[in-house]
Amino acid sequence: MLEEVERWLAARSWRAADRPVQQLLSAKRATGQSVSVVLPALDEEATVGDIVTVIRRELMGRVPLVDEVVVVDSGSSDRTSEVAAAAGARVVHRDAILPRIPAVPGKGEVLWRSLLVTGGDIVCFVDADLREFSADFVSGIVGPLLTDPDVHLVKAMYDRPLGAAPGQGGRVTELMARPLLNMHWPQLAGFVQPLGGEYAARRSLLERLPFPVGYGVELGMLVDALHLVGLDALAQVDVGVRVHRHQDGRALGRMAAAIYRTAQLRLARGHLLRPALTQFERGADGFEPRTHVVDTEERPPMTDIAEYAARRVA
């Protein structure tokens, strides 16, 4: 590990308990910063309501740390929108945001569009499939942004159990993302959960970043932020344990392909790899190929979007 990364680990890795909520409230009042929480959601009726309830009860009711909770529904076929709204979130459908640009499927697409329907100086993203959700997932990662003006992006770090096995979750992280980062962006080797969906950043940074539309958004954002603001502006906070729904091996393969594609685009903008992934399923006549298109599109920095610029002027 680079000496620079060792120093960073000592200086920029914290625990959620290092910053009590009352300290965060004092910093929020002193700086006048506002906080938005965004939950990208697709068919998450079983979990989204509990997450919204905890945030509203703990971080809006008991203490006014969060200013708004927005669920962006990317086309759920279940009651995700109704459950989220009943729990007190403002629900916006992905397709209703910036309709002149047709939406494409993907998590990054939803996160990018969320910048147009939120107002916080600090934007906190939380996956909507978390179980046993704790308010620390939000307060922990917005804390450094409220208290340290030199910090611009904070990732949550946590244990990820796989069933009863502790620390075995995050298979794409260990098999794809971590090797890529260590080999090509060794300054980012200190991140425990580089692909984690829980992170917070200053709007002033997010609006200058391109957003890969699919699963590559977290890796792309981390790499681009490193180049834009430098390692010392990035941080991570330990929030405990993350319990969520795990995807099957084929879905993880497609995720890994999108992440590799995102990395490859950042390594060389010239020669591009074939943007498809073939997997195999056993059928009646043996193994049958299934080819999936890999996400290749990226949305430009939000500052390039006329509607966003007009909103800022207004």
Side-chain angles (χ1 to χ4, degrees), residues 208-270:
R208 291 184 289 159
L209 295 176
F211 277 61
V213 298
Y215 285 122
V217 63
E218 274 83 25
L219 183 134
M221 189 178 295
L222 204 56
V223 170
D224 294 340
L226 173 68
H227 292 306
L228 199 59
V229 296
L231 181 60
D232 283 342
L234 313 179
Q236 59 185 349
V237 174
D238 188 348
V239 298
V241 179
R242 185 186 198 268
V243 181
H244 67 116
R245 170 175 47 82
H246 292 282
Q247 301 197 54
D248 64 29
R250 292 188 182 91
L252 295 179
R254 296 190 290 274
M255 184 186 302
I259 290 165
Y260 184 74
R261 170 72 172 191
T262 299
Q264 193 269 341
L265 285 170
R266 280 153 179 77
L267 287 168
R269 293 283 177 173

Side-chain angles (χ1 to χ4, degrees), residues 4-5 8 12 145 149-155 185-189 191 202 205 208-209 221-236:
E4 179 185 6
V5 176
W8 176 84
R12 286 289 189 253
L145 295 163
D150 293 328
V151 175
H152 289 256
L153 184 149
V154 182
K155 296 279 293 188
W185 296 280
Q187 286 178 296
L188 298 174
F191 277 94
R202 300 191 188 281
L205 170 62
R208 291 184 289 159
L209 295 176
M221 189 178 295
L222 204 56
V223 170
D224 294 340
L226 173 68
H227 292 306
L228 199 59
V229 296
L231 181 60
D232 283 342
L234 313 179
Q236 59 185 349

